[in-house]
Structures are given as structure tokens and as C-alpha cells.
Amino acid sequence: MTDNAARRGTSTSALVLERQGIEVVAETDRTAHPRDLFWPWFAANISVFGMSYGTWILGFGISFVQATIVGIAGAIISFILCGLVAIAGKRGSAPTMVLSRAAFGVHGQKLPGIISWIVSIGWETILAILAVLATATVFEALGVGVGTELKILASGVIAALIVTASVLGYHTIMKLQSILTWATGIMTLLFLALVLPSVNFAAVFSIPHGSLGQTLGAFAMVLTGFGLGWINISADWSRYQSRTASDRSIVFWNTLGGASAPVLLVVAGLLLAGSDSSLLDKIGSDPVGALTLLLPSWALIPFWLTAVLSLISGAVLGIYSSGLTLLSLGIKLPRPVAAGIDGLLLTIGTIYVVFFAPDFKGPFESFLLTLGVPLAAWAGIMIADTLRRKREYADAELFDPQGRYGAFDWISLGTFVTAIAVGWGMVVNLPWQGYLMEPLRLAFYNEAEGYWEGDWGYANLGILFALVFSFLVTYFARAGKIRRQEAQS
């Protein structure tokens, strides 16, 4: 280990505390290879939770064929976008929210940074909640019984595992993810082998086709639920790459690792949901645990271990990165302490939903679609900024508001706020949203029945608008400014 690596705790051995914070990774520590990106993204997305998306996609009222196209295309495209942002990590060797300062300004970045931190906290909490709910369901199916004490114990143990791995840091996580990839991958294939024989293909292919609006609504949900949900942390995992690594390789391995499992799991979920319409309601309250009803009793423990480990794997990525995001906002704490604070919030959120929320689906959809709009707006800006740049970042000036990136980039900030304001007006998950649906004649609210009428009512157009609008404005409006920044010596 080099002296610098020892100081930063970046040994390639496992269980070594990483002391690297948001500062630029030293050149001697940039030893990762593009293929290494496969492990964290595959392990985080092999979760059987991905099968639940099959049920929710069909809930938009589209056919199996339409849903299959939406699921496959949405997963692949979303992780390609994730890979494009990962290029910035390779070029700048710093966390995602630090590199985003080049687009928003050193201080201006704090606005999307706060949203990014909330998104990361939300995702890690959701995955922990699913692990606790799955534990309760499996133990109940085994006849052990489920009481308050068991749920509290499960919440504490799962939170402790997630926090411990995230506090240890990058190299420990990468090592654990490579192990979990094989373990959870094999067990997931076993699960599929047990449940797929029960598929009723006649029922699956008899599901009628839906409209374009319904199809786009499902596509936006898949886009947000997979790669777009991770995009705000994607450069965190590529910052240890050599700056000579191929951009195409970064995108390829990021996409292959992230999308390969969801593509398989979503299609499997579609087949199961299409065979049993009652699965939709069951998954609404316990997305992972509901799948246990399809298994023989001897397979429950292996299924439980697979589900919990895969969910913990995803949560570890989220809490590690949320700690980095917290530091990027100017909070003066060691990275392990920041991760510990996020772990406390995770535990509180998990206990609230497990014990007090009426179901899982409601809070999950509210989180996914409401925060999906600002996340899409940031992603469009960051992707356009990354594609426009041809050179490495000026490392020191990412931390200097007087440098070439400035304190505030008003074009990016204006684009970000505008995309959010319009985007929230075209999604209808919460009562205060959808305020542009009727003025734009996209849909009309039926107050008597309590739902939106029209083909575009639940198309989630706000997410797609925010992504495309922010990308186009940034790509063209900031082109000259980016050239001037890169022209400076």
C-alpha cells in the first residue's frame, strides 16, 4: 500500500476503513478498472424487488408485450444515462455532487445537492423497509409468528449491517458486492426456476393493449425506479477509475451491471402478475414478502436470505453516497460520521413505515414520482454538461467559488427550477401536483370519482419533460461557457 493509500484508508483489502472524503482521489489510488463497475451495480439490482415492477407496470393498463418492451427499454436506457454521468467520475476522481459544481457553480450546487441527499436517504430507507417486511412475512409463513419485538429487532439488525458496510467505505463495499453478486444471483435463478412453471401463458397474452399515454407512464416509472434512481450517485463508484479508462467502457460496464438483472426480473414479474391478478394488491403492501406465497416451505429461508442480502446490498450503495453528498453540502464531518448520521435517519424512516404507514406502495410511489422530477432535471443538465466537456476537470477549482466554475451558474439553476416547476405540473401523484394538466388539456380531474380522465392523465410526462428539456437547454445554452472554461490553462 502506498503512503497516500494508507493515509486515506484505500487499501484493496477488505474491512479497511476508508478515510477518503469528497476530495479528489489521488492518482496513485485510481487503480480500478471499468469492469469493476459491474459488481456494485449488479449486486444492488439483483433484488427480487425488481419483480414487483412487473406487477406495477401491468397496473398501468397495458399488455404483456407493451410491458415487456417498456421494462427492457426502461432498464437499459436508464442505466446508460447512469453510465454517462459515471464518465464524469472517471474524469474528475471526485463524488458526483462535487463534480456537479462544474455545471451549477460551487455554491449553486447545494440546491440539487439537497435533493440528491433526500433521494439517497429515501432509497436506502425503502430498501431497508423491504428487508424488514420480507423478514416478517417469511417468519410468519414459517409459523414463527410476527410481533412488534421481531420487527424492531429486524429493523435494528438490518440497519446495523447497512451502516457498518457503508462506514468502512469503498473498498469494503466493492469486495462485499462481488461476493453478494454470485450468492444472490444463484439464489435468484433458483427462485425463478421454482415459480415460473406456474405461469399461465394464456392469461398473460390475453391482457389487452393500453394507450400510448399508459405506456409512457409505465416507462417513466421504470426509468425512475431503476437507473435514474441511482444516477445522482453514479460517479461516486467510478471516481477510483484511471483517467485513461475508456468512456465507452465506463458506460458499458455500468449499464451491463445495472440493467442485466432488472431486465430478467421485470419480465419474470410480468409473467407472474399476468397469471395472477390478485398479486397486485398483495405486492402493494409487501412487494418482496408477497412473492413468498409462490414458494414451497423448504425454500422460504433461502429466499429470505437472498432477498435481505440483495436489498442490503442496494441500501449500502445509497447510504455510502448519501454521506458523501452530505459532506458536499459543506457539513464538516468525517465521512464515516456522515454515513452514521444517515444510518440513524434510515432507521427512523424504516420504523415509521413498517409500524405506522397503511401500506408500502403509497409512500413508495409518492417518493418515486415526486422526487423523480427534480432528479430527471438534474440528470439532463449533468449529462449534457458531461458530453460537452472534452477535458478533465480543474480539480482545485471544484472547491473554489472564485475559480472558473464560479459560485453560481444561473443558466443551470434557472433550467433546473423551470424543469421542476413544469414537471410537477404534469405528474399527479400528490394532491398539489398536476396543476398544468387541465390548462394544457392533457387530462381533466373527475372530482366525483377522484381520478384523472384522459389518455395522458397518468403518463408521468413531467419526468420525461424535465429530463429532455434540461438536457437540450444545457447542451446548447451552456456550450460556449463550457468551451471557455476548458480553454483556461
Side-chain angles (χ1 to χ4, degrees), residues 7 9 21 57 70 84 96 99 131 188 257 291 308 410 439 448-449 461 480:
R7 178 177 61 83
I57 292 171
V70 162
L84 292 173
T96 314
L99 300 171
T188 299
L291 298 172
V308 170
W410 295 110
E449 300 294 333
L461 292 176

Side-chain angles (χ1 to χ4, degrees), residues 8 57 165 175 182 201 229 248 257 276 355 369 443 453 459 471:
R8 297 178 185 273
I57 292 171
K175 182 67 174 178
W182 289 104
F201 286 98
R248 291 184 179 181
D276 181 5
F355 290 99
L369 298 178
E453 293 183 346
F471 174 84

Side-chain angles (χ1 to χ4, degrees), residues 220-239:
M221 189 195 73
V222 173
L223 200 71
T224 309
F226 288 117
L228 200 60
W230 295 103
I231 199 167
N232 59 310
I233 68 172
S234 58
D236 298 356
W237 302 97
S238 58
R239 76 192 202 277

